[in-house]
Amino acid sequence: MERMTWTLDGIAEHESIIRHSVFRTLAAPVDDEAGAMAFLAKVAVPDATHNCWAFRVGGRYRVSDDGEPSGTAGRPILSAIEGQDFDGVMVVVIRWFGGIKLGAGGLVRAYGGAAAACLREAAKIERVERVRLGFHCPFPVYAEVEAKLPGWNVETRRCDFGAEGAMMELAVPVQERTAVENWLRDLTRGQEPIRELDEEQG
């Protein structure tokens, strides 16, 4: 059984004050690095002391200490993301310095703790890795297909009706792909090809 991973169901926010320093955490679901950087550009506060951040999307991640001692901010934020099995998430922790230095260990606890608290309180949804499939569904079996697919947690992204049936774009959980393809082939006696759509088309 593979571990479940989560992403956020919208933007989450948390604020903590540690020895007079204010730590405001903002977290958002992102699809890629460009999305993470766009979120950073939107929420970063130019006159704050530090805007530290980390994101993870699939196997990709990046961190930034933004002027804090190396390894004391971005890495602990990333650890909070990974520690709660999040993926497809960007977390920004904005600090306003309150005049008392926290030391390296204190910074690690402050940034990691702020990120962890924000993610713990956030509304989250299961992140399912999906593959996009294109399938022409003949009218006689359309109702059956529509009724059956939700049982596999399949999302219908598009459905364009033509003279003979519907051209469907399906987002199928990777682990259900074989079952879904086999069932559709059996249903249409292999008459209708199922093809994988590459990301550029969507």
Side-chain angles (χ1 to χ4, degrees):
M1 178 72 185
E2 61 185 81
R3 279 169 64 170
M4 211 177 262
T5 56
W6 304 91
T7 190
L8 293 170
D9 190 19
I11 293 172
E13 203 169 330
H14 177 83
E15 193 162 295
S16 50
I17 297 171
I18 301 165
R19 303 189 70 183
H20 304 302
S21 280
V22 177
F23 292 83
R24 182 190 297 158
T25 307
L26 294 132
V30 294
D31 292 324
D32 49 30
E33 183 167 347
M37 294 300 99
F39 180 69
L40 175 67
K42 194 166 78 178
V43 302
V45 179
D47 62 359
T49 321
H50 304 280
N51 291 276
C52 304
W53 53 267
F55 75 82
R56 170 176 280 287
V57 179
R60 282 190 61 74
Y61 63 87
R62 269 182 64 197
V63 303
S64 168
D65 296 312
D66 191 38
E68 293 283 28
S70 179
T72 61
R75 186 58 69 173
I77 296 169
L78 181 64
S79 294
I81 295 170
E82 294 175 337
Q84 294 184 46
D85 295 321
F86 274 99
D87 193 7
V89 168
M90 168 68 157
V91 179
V92 182
V93 182
I94 305 161
R95 180 190 186 193
W96 287 266
F97 181 56
I100 300 173
K101 292 196 169 181
L102 301 180
L107 289 171
V108 168
R109 284 191 295 276
Y111 280 101
C118 182
L119 293 172
R120 221 173 11 250
E121 295 164 10
K124 63 183 182 179
I125 49 175
E126 187 182 349
R127 182 177 171 86
V128 179
E129 193 184 342
R130 296 175 184 275
V131 61
R132 292 169 60 231
L133 301 177
F135 169 71
H136 182 266
C137 182
F139 279 129
V141 296
Y142 178 74
E144 198 176 343
V145 170
E146 276 282 88
K148 183 89 172 175
L149 291 180
W152 282 301
N153 193 14
V154 173
E155 294 175 0
T156 303
R157 295 273 169 88
R158 283 185 63 185
C159 190
D160 298 325
F161 291 98
E164 303 294 320
M167 193 65 228
M168 302 178 79
E169 182 188 312
L170 308 173
V172 181
V174 169
Q175 62 267 36
E176 306 288 4
R177 176 179 184 168
T178 304
V180 171
E181 288 187 343
N182 288 344
W183 183 76
L184 290 173
R185 276 199 198 95
D186 289 348
L187 191 67
T188 59
R189 296 181 185 81
Q191 302 289 305
E192 301 293 341
I194 301 159
R195 63 185 203 286
E196 185 171 340
L197 304 174
D198 56 80
E199 288 306 316
E200 277 62 62
Q201 289 179 265

